[in-house]
Amino acid sequence: MTITSILVLYVVLWFLTLFVALPLRVRSQSEDGSIVPGTPGSAPTDPMIRAKLKWVTLVATLLWAALCAFILWGGVTVRDIDVWGRM
């Protein structure tokens, strides 16, 4: 693995984890009953971005380490999953 592929794998996993975590535990202003004038009722009251970024970084790093170990281990190659016999 090259340094570029390692970084791309981490960035892709980080953003994927972020997009999964963003809608979790979000309460809208209409659910709380305190709608700020000029904003829609579906706007979040407290999106907890800082906490989510910490958890996303932790989970993405663990997934990244596991995937890097699996790729470097080499137990499963492209030839192992070639179902049509093209390799």
Side-chain angles (χ1 to χ4, degrees), residues 17 52 67:
T17 310
K52 286 182 182 179
L67 275 173

Side-chain angles (χ1 to χ4, degrees), residues 22 25-30 32 34 36 39-49 52:
L22 279 178
R25 295 178 47 192
V26 175
R27 292 192 47 87
S28 66
Q29 292 179 8
S30 61
D32 283 345
S34 60
V36 177
T39 62
S42 61
T45 54
D46 182 21
M48 301 177 292
I49 296 295
K52 286 182 182 179

Side-chain angles (χ1 to χ4, degrees), residues 1-78:
M1 286 179 64
T2 63
I3 190 71
T4 306
S5 63
I6 291 171
L7 290 175
V8 168
L9 179 64
Y10 183 77
V11 169
V12 167
L13 279 174
W14 192 88
F15 275 103
L16 180 68
T17 310
L18 176 68
F19 290 142
V20 167
L22 279 178
L24 298 177
R25 295 178 47 192
V26 175
R27 292 192 47 87
S28 66
Q29 292 179 8
S30 61
E31 289 174 341
D32 283 345
S34 60
I35 298 176
V36 177
T39 62
S42 61
T45 54
D46 182 21
M48 301 177 292
I49 296 295
R50 188 176 306 266
K52 286 182 182 179
L53 289 179
K54 289 179 185 176
W55 279 106
V56 161
T57 302
L58 175 70
V59 170
T61 303
L62 293 175
L63 287 173
W64 172 77
L67 275 173
C68 282
F70 183 74
I71 291 169
L72 291 175
W73 168 59
V76 177
T77 63
V78 174

